[in-house]
Amino acid sequence: MKSHWFKFISPLLILFVVHSANAIQQDSLQIILEERLTSSEFDQKEDILEYLKMTGELYSQSPTDALFYVTALEKKLDAEGNQTARAKIISQIAAFYWFQGVYDAALQRYFEALKLYKEENNSLEIVKTLNNIGETYKKQQDYKQSAKFIKLALEKLKEIEGFSPELITVNLGQLFLLRENFDSANYYLNQILKKENASTNSKGFTNLYKGILNREIGQYDSAHYYLNQSMSYWNELNYNRGLSESNIEIANIYVEEKNLKLANQYLNEAENLAIKINSLDLLLKIYQTKIDIFKITASNDSLVYYFDKYLEIKDSIFNSESRAEINKLSIQYNLAEKENDRYKLALEQAQLTNKIEKRTQFLIFLIVVLIFAVILILYLRNKSNQLKSAHIKLKQQKEEIEDKQRKISSKSLDLARVNKELHSLNKNLEQRVGERTQKLNERNRQIAEFTYFNSHKLRAPVASVLGLINVMELAKDGKIDPQLLNYLKTSAMELDKVIFNLKNLLELDDEIEEGVN
């Protein structure tokens, strides 16, 4: 029972927290903008750009307040004669008017900004502003002027290095789509689809226009595909205007397919988003489609209701000059009122914010504690499993290390034994080498003496043999005396004996050398 109750109440709690957080963020942004508007000097461009960034964040929550604060900044700087970043301020105001569908006021501001950017010679901002002017003319269905300024932006773009003309290319594709030149539209839009590094913003618009193009030529499956793709990109960017436009186009497909129930669902979603961002031109398209649906269903009450709303929005858009003047007077009045009641309002807002913050913080604290507890339990469980696994691994590693230590100890003992044997052998070897060296020295001495002695003994028989040979040569009758022959034989035998002794001596020397080795 408790789990069912928790499942029911948890989405409400989350919704309440998100809503409270958004309200706090909106209030805190307004308080910061109020404080900066009164206390800051805005002498530095960076201060103005930061202020404009905050108004941009506020626009998604409260378009009217965002337009008020950026216009109030313009008035403040005009009164002080401060021209710092004036072109940026005017561009921001123009963009806010554009998002709300007040295109005449947006055009007026864009042309003012364009003049200032030309004076600054800021080529990049000139290109962006020319493109924005072309887009604004396109929304007013003045396609000739739109093409003119988009082409001017492309020509100016040639002077800038490293700037991608993605959005300008997309805008050209949409322009040809509106003029029903589908081949040219496909050409420019496919250029963006082929780019791998195209920005998310460019991909969103490209898929949106491809979806519209395929709906126009009756290819509804492809149209659904591209429009759903664009929705994914808008969700990624949190771009409510794009989401509203994609919902409108999907609704138009269902109208053509006669699925009016689904068409109404998508139109209701688009209407909620358009109201949230105060986009009058999108509301005009939504109410026009609603009128077409209720004409088919013959629901007269709904038809009259939406027809009145359609006329109200149409009058608001097409009388934008008076609307801009009214806005101007209203802003001046509000600025004076806010100036008088500034501190009182700030105090009331601070008190209210504190109450909301305390309640919200308590609720957030409870939710955070619960989430943290769940995460902690999961973390501790995971950590416990990891520790068990690590313990098992450490135990295995310990056993392996102990086994290796035993093997190393055994090998160390073997090495010690071998080292001891080698040491003993080295000692014996040194002793044996010394003894043999002494014997060799003694033998060499004996050999030297013996060789000296035998060399003299060898010379005596050789001299005798030579002498006898000379005597034999001197015999005149050519006969050999037997006595001389005996002497020669005796000398030869003595010589042979000496050579034999010498040979034995040399063989003994070889044996000694082999023994040493």
Side-chain angles (χ1 to χ4, degrees), residues 238-266:
N238 196 23
Y239 183 46
N240 288 330
R241 182 182 175 86
L243 287 168
S244 181
E245 286 190 86
S246 296
N247 276 298
I248 292 169
E249 297 305 328
I250 292 173
N252 285 328
I253 295 173
Y254 283 124
V255 169
E256 293 181 17
E257 291 178 334
K258 306 301 180 185
N259 191 338
L260 303 183
K261 184 178 179 181
L262 278 177
N264 248 323
Q265 288 179 9
Y266 278 95

Side-chain angles (χ1 to χ4, degrees), residues 474-517:
L474 292 175
K476 294 180 180 179
D477 52 4
K479 293 181 180 179
I480 299 174
D481 188 353
Q483 190 175 1
L484 289 174
L485 189 59
N486 286 330
Y487 288 148
L488 181 60
K489 184 177 180 181
T490 302
S491 296
M493 290 175 67
E494 290 177 357
L495 177 61
D496 181 64
K497 185 177 179 180
V498 171
I499 290 171
F500 179 77
N501 290 335
L502 184 59
K503 176 178 174 292
N504 288 338
L505 180 63
L506 291 174
E507 288 177 351
L508 179 62
D509 186 47
D510 289 340
E511 290 176 0
I512 292 171
E513 286 182 359
E514 288 176 0
V516 172
N517 292 332

Side-chain angles (χ1 to χ4, degrees), residues 102-134:
V102 188
Y103 297 124
D104 284 346
L107 268 178
Q108 180 186 354
R109 290 297 188 157
Y110 276 135
F111 277 115
E112 289 179 29
L114 181 63
K115 181 181 177 182
L116 293 173
Y117 284 133
K118 284 184 176 179
E119 291 174 0
E120 297 173 5
N121 197 25
N122 190 333
S123 298
L124 180 59
E125 293 299 335
I126 289 172
V127 169
K128 290 180 180 179
T129 308
L130 287 170
N131 181 60
N132 290 335
I133 291 171

Side-chain angles (χ1 to χ4, degrees), residues 384-401:
S384 175
N385 292 334
Q386 290 179 355
L387 287 173
K388 287 179 182 178
S389 177
H391 178 71
I392 293 170
K393 289 182 180 179
L394 286 173
K395 187 176 180 181
Q396 291 175 348
Q397 290 176 355
K398 182 182 176 183
E399 291 174 355
E400 291 175 359
I401 290 170

Side-chain angles (χ1 to χ4, degrees), residues 201-214:
N201 195 28
S202 299
K203 290 178 181 177
F205 281 114
T206 303
N207 281 280
L208 172 62
Y209 300 146
K210 285 283 285 187
I212 296 171
L213 190 152
N214 281 276

Side-chain angles (χ1 to χ4, degrees), residues 163 263 312 516:
F163 182 76
E312 181 185 346
V516 172

Side-chain angles (χ1 to χ4, degrees), residues 48-49 51-52 70-71 73-75 77 82-95 109 113 117:
I48 294 175
L49 294 179
Y51 182 93
L52 293 177
V70 72
T71 309
L73 175 64
E74 181 189 26
K75 296 295 181 184
L77 297 182
N82 187 348
Q83 298 296 311
T84 306
R86 179 171 176 78
K88 283 285 185 183
I89 297 170
I90 294 173
S91 295
Q92 186 89 313
I93 294 172
R109 290 297 188 157
Y117 284 133

Side-chain angles (χ1 to χ4, degrees), residues 46 68 168 207 213 221 229 233 266 305 320 330 335 363:
E46 289 74 15
F68 165 78
I168 300 176
N207 281 280
L213 190 152
D221 289 341
Q229 285 290 102
Y233 291 121
Y266 278 95
Y305 172 77
S320 57
S330 176
L335 184 61
L363 184 59

